[in-house]
Amino acid sequence: MFFKSFGRVLAGLGVTAALLSGCSGGNRPELPPAGAVAGREAPSEEYVIGPMDQLNVFVWRNPELSAKVQVRPDGRITTPLISDMPAVGKTPAMLADDLKYALGEYIKDPIVSVIVENFSGTYSQQVRVVGATEKPASIPYRANMTALDAMIAVGGLSEFASGNRARLVRYDQQTGKQREYKIRLGDLLKNGDISANVRLAPGDVLIIPESMF
């Protein structure tokens, strides 16, 4: 009877150890470190307009057709003479071409420019930080963005965060699957270990669990 009970205890400890191992990161790979400042600044992919972006539509020599508009939640905009023009998912140059074509019915050879003034971007161009942070948020991605930049934007870790058990979820465009990486935010923010800083990509999600104790 004693050996059966002892066996159950060992089995329970084994399950607990496995769970703790999984919570601590398991076999998740780590990303290569990134410097606090990029050695060479480089542009990212072309910006794609997202819902709630603020746009300045400029029609040369036709100020009455120019307008500052906000992309509606349904992804469309309305400007003078044009109603419900789809905007989300287009680059500013693509949207300018579409507006030029639509305005061509009313004026000859319009010259149209679209300038993005306030950025939100599509979800695929945002970095989302959730879990045990001071203010979880979706942050518009910018070129050469790192984990340190994202954590500064959300006010750092909360009091009960387990930063070194954080994970980064990234969509792999080549395989069409999500991959998870271990990320040591505790070492980065509390110990100043700059080797724990990693480069982010558009669409990344940082998940920060709370401490178990």
Side-chain angles (χ1 to χ4, degrees):
M1 189 72 177
F2 169 77
F3 291 107
K4 288 183 178 180
S5 299
F6 186 65
R8 292 193 188 98
V9 171
L10 288 177
L13 289 173
V15 170
T16 302
L19 288 173
L20 290 173
S21 175
C23 292
S24 63
N27 296 321
R28 293 191 189 101
E30 289 194 44
L31 293 165
V37 178
R40 181 180 178 183
E41 298 292 339
S44 61
E45 298 176 1
E46 283 191 284
Y47 183 79
V48 177
I49 296 169
M52 311 310 292
D53 280 357
Q54 189 80 33
L55 307 179
N56 186 353
V57 178
F58 174 75
V59 185
W60 189 54
R61 290 185 175 176
N62 290 273
E64 70 281 2
L65 300 180
S66 301
K68 289 188 177 182
V69 297
Q70 186 174 44
V71 182
R72 303 196 305 255
D74 65 359
R76 299 172 182 270
I77 61 171
T78 295
T79 64
L81 298 182
I82 301 174
S83 299
D84 297 335
M85 169 67 73
V88 166
K90 301 176 182 177
T91 66
M94 291 168 59
L95 179 58
D97 286 342
D98 290 346
L99 290 169
K100 176 182 177 180
Y101 178 80
L103 287 172
E105 297 183 15
Y106 306 99
I107 59 177
K108 184 178 180 179
D109 298 327
I111 298 175
V112 182
S113 298
V114 174
I115 302 168
V116 183
E117 295 191 339
N118 289 323
F119 304 86
S120 294
T122 60
Y123 287 124
S124 63
Q125 290 185 312
Q126 295 177 2
V127 172
R128 282 166 280 181
V129 185
V130 297
T133 180
E134 290 299 328
K135 46 180 181 179
S138 292
I139 310 163
Y141 175 81
R142 64 177 187 270
N144 305 304
M145 193 175 192
T146 68
L148 181 60
D149 298 323
M151 294 310 300
I152 291 173
V154 299
L157 299 172
S158 71
E159 180 182 358
F160 303 104
S162 180
N164 282 348
R165 291 199 299 120
R167 64 187 190 271
L168 184 151
V169 180
R170 175 173 294 170
Y171 177 75
D172 190 330
Q173 293 183 346
Q174 293 183 344
T175 63
K177 297 180 180 179
Q178 290 188 155
R179 296 192 64 186
E180 291 192 7
Y181 299 91
K182 179 181 178 182
I183 182 168
R184 298 180 290 115
L185 294 178
D187 289 344
L188 174 63
L189 299 177
K190 295 183 178 180
N191 302 329
D193 183 357
I194 203 64
S195 70
N197 195 24
V198 299
R199 187 87 63 196
L200 298 179
D204 280 355
V205 180
L206 292 175
I207 303 173
I208 308 167
E210 289 190 349
S211 175
M212 298 177 64
F213 304 101

